[in-house]
Amino acid sequence: MLTIRSLGHACYTLHDGTHCVILDPFLEGNPDAVCGPDEVQVDFILPTHGHADHLGDAVRISKAQAAPIVGVYELCAYCARQGAQTVPMHIGGQRQMPFGTIKLTPAVHGSAVISDDTIQYMGLACGFVVTMGQATVYFAGDTALFWDMALISRSHKLDVAILPIGDNFTMGIEDAAQATALLKPDTVIPTHYNAFEAIRRDAGVFAQRVGALSEATAGAQCRILDPGEEFIVSDGP
Ligand code: NI
Ligand code: MN
């Protein structure tokens, strides 16, 4: 059994009762955050890229909890220089973890740490396929729609896909619905919308669109998770 919890914007935890990973740990300064960075207990930290609304509190949580950051090599090197523990990987690579596996997938997006006076590039943005026990979750990160999403569903039977719908910086509603058709997950969870003005979108419209495409999506169900809500993936029969 795996529990997916939304912590607000694009931050989620995946929990199997023993291990907990946090995806895109942006909590401090996140207008939709349901808790602070000191209120989560995690074993691994998975940032998809260097933008502040994703890398967020990764280094702080890593140092406070001795939890490694797992991600793209360049981003890991940046975090390691700030004292974080890291597990450097790169796109296409998969790794055994104490709870299952992590694989880094492509994402069509930038990755940089942007401060007042500098822009430091962090390699490529990525997504993650995480297996925990019986459950497989694809977390797309920030990305455009890309055709190779079909390859992800060819090699992984996805229980859940978590896809951005906010438009402007990532896929919007229509592209995310098309992505659902390429990925064919049992459940699709929309993310990366509403936290900021430029990405205010109606997730109900996405749910309707996914419903209308049910033949192409192999019957994927849309589940809208408000910040603080959970979705449980139960082990198959
Ligand atoms: Ni981004
Ligand atoms: Mn973002």
Side-chain angles (χ1 to χ4, degrees):
M1 198 181 87
L2 178 153
T3 302
I4 300 171
R5 181 166 188 241
S6 166
L7 302 189
H9 186 49
C11 180
Y12 295 81
T13 53
L14 308 180
H15 197 269
D16 66 0
T18 305
H19 301 97
C20 183
V21 309
I22 189 166
L23 295 151
D24 282 343
F26 168 52
L27 296 168
E28 187 83 52
N30 174 350
D32 285 351
V34 296
C35 66
D38 302 323
E39 297 168 83
V40 287
Q41 276 294 321
V42 302
D43 301 295
F44 295 96
I45 303 161
L46 279 59
T48 56
H49 60 295
H51 294 161
D53 62 318
H54 298 265
L55 184 60
D57 304 298
V59 170
R60 172 172 166 178
I61 296 170
S62 176
K63 284 164 58 168
Q65 303 188 21
I69 294 173
V70 184
V72 163
Y73 177 73
E74 290 85 351
L75 183 59
C76 281
Y78 171 82
C79 294
R81 285 179 191 183
Q82 294 174 65
Q85 294 184 30
T86 62
V87 178
M89 297 179 63
H90 226 303
I91 290 165
Q94 179 169 287
R95 188 178 181 105
Q96 288 291 327
M97 304 299 289
F99 52 81
T101 60
I102 293 177
K103 185 174 184 179
L104 269 59
T105 62
V108 181
H109 194 69
S111 178
V113 171
I114 300 174
S115 55
D116 288 343
D117 54 355
T118 59
I119 298 176
Q120 290 176 271
Y121 248 81
M122 293 290 146
L124 296 168
C126 76
F128 294 102
V129 173
V130 179
T131 65
M132 252 192 188
Q134 307 288 310
T136 303
V137 176
Y138 169 53
F139 185 74
D142 282 2
T143 186
L145 173 64
F146 57 95
W147 188 254
D148 287 359
M149 284 177 176
L151 294 174
I152 297 173
S153 62
R154 190 179 286 186
S155 38
H156 305 275
K157 172 72 194 95
L158 299 177
D159 294 287
V160 177
I162 304 176
L163 306 180
I165 66 160
D167 223 326
N168 196 80
F169 299 110
T170 68
M171 294 190 283
I173 285 170
E174 180 59 28
D175 283 0
Q178 296 301 330
T180 308
L182 296 176
L183 294 160
K184 298 179 172 44
D186 289 346
T187 301
V188 59
I189 297 174
T191 190
H192 207 273
Y193 64 96
N194 281 358
F196 309 107
E197 190 57 43
I199 57 172
R200 291 219 194 283
R201 294 296 180 276
D202 183 348
V205 173
F206 174 67
Q208 285 171 7
R209 192 69 186 116
V210 169
L213 290 176
S214 65
E215 206 165 314
T217 65
Q221 298 292 307
C222 180
R223 176 65 192 267
I224 296 167
L225 283 190
D226 287 332
E229 288 190 328
E230 294 181 343
F231 177 73
I232 294 174
V233 184
S234 42
D235 292 340

